[in-house]
Amino acid sequence: PTSILNKITHTSGSAPVLSYTVPDNAADQIDILASAKSSVAGDSYNQIPVDFKHILAAVQFSVGSSGLPSGTISSITISGIKNSGVYTFGSGWTLNSGITTFKVSPSTAINGTSGENITTGINTFMMIPQTFNNATITLTYNTGTAYTKTISGTWSAGSTYTYNLSKPVNIGDYYY
């Protein structure tokens, strides 16, 4: 995307690099594709195939096998995730140490049935690939009721990760 052109630098004889910070709000995040070819003569008019690859990981949420209470999901946050780094074309990411909380506000009404999508499309988190421990997901309904879950894992570039969230409704749980 043209919005990141000023974040790409290049020194003659080395691969270009992208310095990037993922916006905290999922609605402001973009999908980035990159391609790199080495040893290409700059004075050639020959066609050279390029192989573009996604350099971020997509993170989405669905209702898990044990279901969720029905209602409208007002937000999902993920905290404890690294938010910035340097992507070297043809090599990959070097992450900075900073972490942040990311948020999406899907306003998705759910029945709470297993498999229902909570986030898709513009509500997908586009995250820097990384290995993380003890990140916290918080699912919040428009009533203010919130559920949290701690996760650990690895996100790879070009992959989509769907977290299936469940919270069985217990007798005595009331949602207005």
Side-chain angles (χ1 to χ4, degrees):
T2 57
S3 63
I4 63 169
L5 287 178
N6 64 342
K7 296 174 175 48
I8 298 172
T9 58
H10 181 251
T11 303
S12 180
S14 63
V17 296
L18 164 67
S19 296
Y20 187 68
T21 299
V22 178
D24 298 347
N25 186 342
D28 298 328
Q29 296 172 0
I30 57 175
D31 188 9
I32 303 173
L33 289 94
S35 181
K37 292 281 186 183
S38 58
S39 303
V40 176
D43 60 354
S44 173
Y45 291 101
N46 296 327
Q47 290 183 352
I48 299 170
V50 279
D51 181 21
F52 283 94
K53 294 184 182 345
H54 296 271
I55 65 170
L56 299 174
V59 178
Q60 300 177 330
F61 296 90
S62 294
V63 177
S65 60
S66 296
L68 280 170
S70 63
T72 300
I73 307 299
S74 62
S75 69
I76 296 177
T77 61
I78 306 174
S79 60
I81 299 295
K82 292 185 179 180
N83 66 333
S84 63
V86 174
Y87 178 79
T88 302
F89 285 68
S91 297
W93 286 96
T94 302
L95 300 181
N96 296 334
S97 60
I99 60 170
T100 196
T101 298
F102 297 95
K103 181 177 183 177
V104 64
S105 302
S107 296
T108 302
I110 61 168
N111 294 321
T113 307
S114 176
E116 279 183 279
N117 290 325
I118 299 171
T119 60
T120 58
I122 64 167
N123 292 316
T124 298
F125 288 101
M126 300 305 299
M127 309 301 282
I128 292 178
Q130 60 191 278
T131 297
F132 55 92
N133 291 303
N134 301 317
T136 303
I137 297 171
T138 303
L139 171 79
T140 305
Y141 284 80
N142 65 349
T143 61
T145 301
Y147 301 110
T148 61
K149 175 71 178 165
T150 301
I151 61 170
S152 297
T154 299
W155 295 331
S156 298
S159 296
T160 300
Y161 299 88
T162 301
Y163 289 90
N164 297 305
L165 307 176
S166 292
K167 170 67 170 126
V169 178
N170 299 316
I171 302 300
D173 284 350
Y174 297 99
Y175 303 95
Y176 299 98

